[in-house]
Amino acid sequence: MAKRRFAKNDRGPTPQELARLWEVAVEGGPDAEEADLLLDAALRSLLDTDRLDRDLLTAILDHLPIDEHHPFLQDCEELAASDHGRFSGASGEDALLQLFLIPVHGEISEVEAAVRDPELLDGIARSLRLTGYAVTESNVLVRPDLFPVQTLALLGPAGIRDLLIDGGSVLARGPGTGVTGRLLGEIRALVGDREGAGPEELLYAVRFLVGVRASVDRGDLADGLMPDPEEPEEAYLDRVERWRDRTEALLERFGAVTIEPPTPWGEARVELLTCALRQLADLALGAEGYDPARTPYPELRSRIELLPDGLQVELVRDGRVLTGTVMGLELIGPALEGLLDAIAEEYPVLETEIAPARVLVH
């Protein structure tokens, strides 16, 4: 690709130019690396100046084929969830900021009581370092706020970046930006009376904690939040086991509450929605008298259909439907392909009906 300037205007590259950079980058030709660097720099600049909004994203997608919409928006979300150089570490060096989440489930009243305990939050933050999810030099913040899964319907790249900077400001001993409180207000208005409506609304009872970690990148940052692609599976399983041991000890006085391992924001949607599906299956099995202490977990399979407004998933046991749900496209966002893979891995697919789907930009 011949080196050239973007269209000369104060607004930066046009949607068509950004779409073309993406296409060149994913084609993998001789100009792919340069295009990827230019696109990364342009998108970060737009994020930093609050210009990567719904209108601009929609305009970019208008210039991309539909099967590129999800990968492009997933890339935007992952870019939004990290930042380098805005804040400094204790040594004065530029810090790498990274947004992550921690799924929490159990009886809602018990979950809320647990998260109100500052000692538990401090213990969770320490556990990230002690179990290998964050290198020991990391500075970690876990916000004392429980977010329901509907939060995903409000968070596009701009909202994700706002959460990251709010947490980074607190880590830097600043006042924060107040965006977390505003987001929770929007969530309360969105959820309305749906909470606690019953088992069929279990998807809407999923909660997660938001965290930010700051680390000085000296080239050795591989850990659970930024894993080495060649990490052996045994190392991953050992880290998960250490996390479960630590968090079970922290939760002894809080009843039936489970804190899942932390996950980078790029995997957030898949992790939360598969966690919700798992809870839905456990609830349905429990209603049939299944006791995990006495019986091996039964094999469940899935039927999947992409509807105009969501992904319908039915879980099948012994040839009959055990339970099912529809996950809204606004919750799935750009993570449809990853979610389909995760469901298929956990619940082998009997039937599927999937066509290329548009992504809801938010």
Side-chain angles (χ1 to χ4, degrees):
M1 180 174 65
K3 290 186 177 180
R4 60 182 178 80
R5 299 288 183 186
F6 292 123
K8 289 188 176 180
N9 57 57
D10 294 335
R11 299 182 61 82
T14 66
Q16 187 171 4
E17 288 172 328
L18 291 168
R20 181 56 188 155
L21 284 175
W22 169 265
E23 290 182 317
V24 173
V26 300
E27 284 168 2
D31 299 320
E33 184 176 355
E34 181 185 359
D36 189 54
L37 290 172
L38 286 170
L39 180 64
D40 186 287
L43 292 175
R44 289 190 184 278
S45 176
L46 290 167
L47 281 165
D48 289 341
T49 52
D50 296 323
R51 289 183 290 163
L52 195 61
D53 57 15
R54 179 184 304 194
D55 291 342
L56 178 56
L57 287 169
T58 301
I60 296 169
L61 296 182
D62 287 342
H63 296 284
L64 290 174
I66 190 169
D67 59 354
E68 293 294 334
H69 289 191
H70 289 90
F72 174 77
L73 285 177
Q74 181 72 18
D75 194 53
C76 289
E77 290 199 357
E78 291 182 10
L79 278 174
S82 67
D83 181 85
H84 187 262
R86 186 182 298 261
F87 299 100
S88 299
S91 62
E93 299 173 83
D94 287 346
L96 173 69
L97 283 184
Q98 185 181 14
L99 196 68
F100 63 90
L101 63 80
I102 302 174
V104 185
H105 54 90
E107 291 292 335
I108 293 301
S109 60
E110 293 179 346
V111 170
E112 290 175 341
V115 172
R116 283 196 294 267
D117 187 333
E119 290 185 10
L120 176 65
L121 294 177
D122 289 343
I124 294 172
R126 287 195 302 274
S127 295
L128 267 92
R129 292 186 289 267
L130 294 172
T131 58
Y133 279 94
V135 291
T136 54
E137 296 82 6
S138 296
N139 193 5
V140 177
L141 170 74
V142 178
R143 301 300 302 247
D145 305 295
L146 275 173
F147 291 86
V149 71
Q150 294 98 318
T151 306
L152 299 177
L154 296 177
L155 286 176
I160 293 168
R161 175 53 63 100
D162 286 344
L163 275 179
L164 176 76
I165 301 308
D166 188 28
S169 177
V170 175
L171 278 176
R173 293 178 169 78
T177 64
V179 69
T180 302
R182 292 196 299 273
L183 180 60
L184 283 169
E186 292 181 49
I187 283 296
R188 292 187 186 101
L190 175 68
V191 173
D193 296 329
R194 286 187 292 180
E195 290 208 68
E200 72 278 6
E201 294 294 339
L202 185 64
L203 179 64
Y204 297 100
V206 177
R207 296 288 184 275
F208 62 95
L209 297 166
V210 170
V212 176
R213 70 94 166 254
S215 303
V216 174
D217 186 359
R218 298 189 177 93
D220 58 352
L221 271 182
D223 56 27
L225 291 176
M226 197 177 291
D228 184 335
E230 299 181 1
E231 178 186 52
E233 185 178 7
E234 294 79 7
Y236 161 76
L237 294 174
D238 180 61
R239 186 169 57 243
V240 171
E241 189 64 28
R242 292 199 306 271
W243 174 267
R244 295 202 187 284
D245 289 344
R246 286 277 309 175
T247 54
E248 284 175 9
L250 289 171
L251 290 167
E252 283 181 347
R253 56 197 173 90
F254 291 108
V257 177
T258 300
I259 300 177
E260 299 290 348
T263 185
W265 194 271
E267 302 167 15
R269 295 177 188 273
V270 171
E271 182 63 29
L272 285 170
L273 293 173
T274 52
C275 181
L277 193 58
R278 204 173 299 125
Q279 289 182 72
L280 194 63
D282 289 347
L283 188 68
L285 288 169
E288 294 190 347
Y290 166 70
D291 182 354
R294 300 172 57 188
T295 311
Y297 199 87
E299 182 180 38
L300 302 180
R301 296 183 178 272
S302 60
R303 294 194 184 109
I304 301 172
E305 182 179 358
L306 186 61
L307 306 174
D309 59 348
L311 185 71
Q312 179 175 283
V313 182
E314 293 180 334
L315 298 182
V316 178
R317 181 186 186 187
D318 299 330
R320 59 182 176 79
V321 175
L322 173 71
T323 188
T325 189
V326 176
M327 301 177 180
L329 292 181
E330 75 281 2
L331 301 180
I332 299 171
L336 178 61
E337 184 176 341
L339 180 61
L340 291 172
D341 289 344
I343 293 173
E345 182 176 354
E346 194 155 345
Y347 307 105
V349 178
L350 292 170
E351 299 173 20
T352 183
E353 188 174 331
I354 303 293
R358 68 186 181 91
V359 65
L360 299 182
V361 180
H362 44 262

